[in-house]
């Protein structure tokens, strides 16, 4: 399938009134409005002193403004950083300082997070004056709605989620191409998932995350309509699919879990028959959850595995997954994959090691040449840091992240395997497995469990869970300590922040006695 359009500017010429982005139940921007406002915003960036190759930072809630801001940066050769709204002021300050942002776009609600930022960095607020931040609408009205002449295509510099430590800025090169030239991943979305003109794309995740943001912009290059949300609410997603006759959607596994918890009477109110493709990513999806979603929504659920760095990805469709349950798929054309051991040697099918990809993409971790060198090999292969194996048919199965590995008595233990067993227990809503210090073994396995209901007798339930695990896992992979919590620490895409748990339990008395 060949896309008709490659940029919102092209769509606006033929379909000026078509909606480019809609806040579910609220404000929308037509393609003509998106192009006009993005051009004005690009002019505003220049007026505020942000030159080609420099950086702007966006700290705003989900809003149609995010679309015009990102397109303004894309159209004027800038790097753009989208900052998570749940961070603390110190975490926000770190990203702004690390990224060398020259301008911050924020909102009244979030402006207090940037109050202490260097006053030399300009600020604007999308919804009126806020502290040092000038009203965006007033500033925009002063700018002409004309493109920046001769601009190269800007690039994202998105920060890793920080689930394994301090976030890293993933810097893609600003290529010597016009903004209208589509990125390489565009063809993959067209070929694999049928992205194209007229599609309606339900996108309920925060736009500061890589997949929701890049997919929204891909939809707008191709002439579709992106439906965004103030926040994820399960019934609101069903309502939007029905109301807007959505053809495509992008969700993450924790959203599947919450959708499945809706009463049957609520599910039955909405028609989902317009859906052609639902893409899930960002975190491992328990096999039982995926099977239940396929039973409910039908064979429309696809999976993509990749990362912010864009060094490679795998894709698997619904029928393939049923034939290879648990797999995250195979590489599409133009992408290579290898499993390598600790010495860098390629491993045969069935052997577990670090996953390496190679495609045409090139990236660096901003201001961290050491981490870039760790991730990128001289032969062009690079890694996200994940562990897995490939079967004889070329399907990839994830084991875990290398940074999550537990070494107990000299044995390598990958927590994801234990977590998947725990999630099969009927009393467990979610679980995280970490290694905690042990004087004899170096580390031992601890499970932090989020039950459906907090137990009256925690000791009995822990014993039951341990026995459950021992029928399915070797003893060394089973938790030697289990703790029940009301909720696990997560980011907004549902990824468990394991570095928070490791820090918490390494410091606690439980790390030596629990």
């Amino acid at each position: 399938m060949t896309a008709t359009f490659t940029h919102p500017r092209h769509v606006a010429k033929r379909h000026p009134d078509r909606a480019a982005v809609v806040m579910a139940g609220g404000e929308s921007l037509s393609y003509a409005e998106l192009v006009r406002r993005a051009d004005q915003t690009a002019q505003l960036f220049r007026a505020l002193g942000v030159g080609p190759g420099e950086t702007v930072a966006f700290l705003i809630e989900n809003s149609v403004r995010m679309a015009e801001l990102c397109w303004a940066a894309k159209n004027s050769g800038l790097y753009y950083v989208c900052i998570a709204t749940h961070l603390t002021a110190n975490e926000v300050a770190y990203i702004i300082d690390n990224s060398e942002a020259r301008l911050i776009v924020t909102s009244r609600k979030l402006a207090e997070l940037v109050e202490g930022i260097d006053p030399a960095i300009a600020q604007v607020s999308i919804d009126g004056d806020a502290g040092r931040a000038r009203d965006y609408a007033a500033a925009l009205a002063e700018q002409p709605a004309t493109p920046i002449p001769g601009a190269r295509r800007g690039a994202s510099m998105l920060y890793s989620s920080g689930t394994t430590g301090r976030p890293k800025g993933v810097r893609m090169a600003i290529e010597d191409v016009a903004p209208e030239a589509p990125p390489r991943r565009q063809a993959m979305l067209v070929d694999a998932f049928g992205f194209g003109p007229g599609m309606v794309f339900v996108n309920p995740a925060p736009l500061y995350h890589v997949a929701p943001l890049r997919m929204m912009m891909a939809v707008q290059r191709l002439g579709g309509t992106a439906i965004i949300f103030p926040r994820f609410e399960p019934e609101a997603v069903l309502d939007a699919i029905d109301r807007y006759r959505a053809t495509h959607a992008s969700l993450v596994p924790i959203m599947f879990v919450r959708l499945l918890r809706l009463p049957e009477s609520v599910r039955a109110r909405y028609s989902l028959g317009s859906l052609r493709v639902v893409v899930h990513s960002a975190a491992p999806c328990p096999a039982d959850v995926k099977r239940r979603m396929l039973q409910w929504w039908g064979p429309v659920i696809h999976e993509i595995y990749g990362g912010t760095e864009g060094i490679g990805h795998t894709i698997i469709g619904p029928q393939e997954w049923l034939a290879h349950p648990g797999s995250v798929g195979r590489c599409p054309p133009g992408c290579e994959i290898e499993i390598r051991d600790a010495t860098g040697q390629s491993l045969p099918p069935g052997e577990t090691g670090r996953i390496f990809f190679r495609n045409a993409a090139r990236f660096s971790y901003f201001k961290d040449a050491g981490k870039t060198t760790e991730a990128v090999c001289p032969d062009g292969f690079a890694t996200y840091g994940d562990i897995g194996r490939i079967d004889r048919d070329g399907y990839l199965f994830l084991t875990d992240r290398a940074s999550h590995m537990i070494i107990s008595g000299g044995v390598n233990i990958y927590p994801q395997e234990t977590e998947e067993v725990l999630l099969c227990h009927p009393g467990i809503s979610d679980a995280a497995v970490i290694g905690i210090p042990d004087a004899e073994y170096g580390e031992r396995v601890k499970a932090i469990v989020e039950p459906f209901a907090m137990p009256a007798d925690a000791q009995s339930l822990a014993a039951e869970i341990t026995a459950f695990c021992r029928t399915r896992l070797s003893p060394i992979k089973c938790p030697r300590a289990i703790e029940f919590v009301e909720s696990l620490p997560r980011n907004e895409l549902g990824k468990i922040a394991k570095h928070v748990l490791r820090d918490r339990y390494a410091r606690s008395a439980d790390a030596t006695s629990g």
Side-chain angles (χ1 to χ4, degrees), residues 71-84:
W71 279 111
K74 186 73 74 177
N75 291 345
S76 51
L78 304 182
Y79 284 106
Y80 54 99
V81 176
C82 303
I83 302 176

Side-chain angles (χ1 to χ4, degrees), residues 362-382:
R362 296 294 178 265
F363 82 98
S364 63
Y365 292 118
F366 192 49
K367 297 182 179 178
D368 201 331
K371 286 191 181 295
T372 304
T373 301
E374 287 177 15
V376 183
C377 301
D379 61 5
F381 276 89

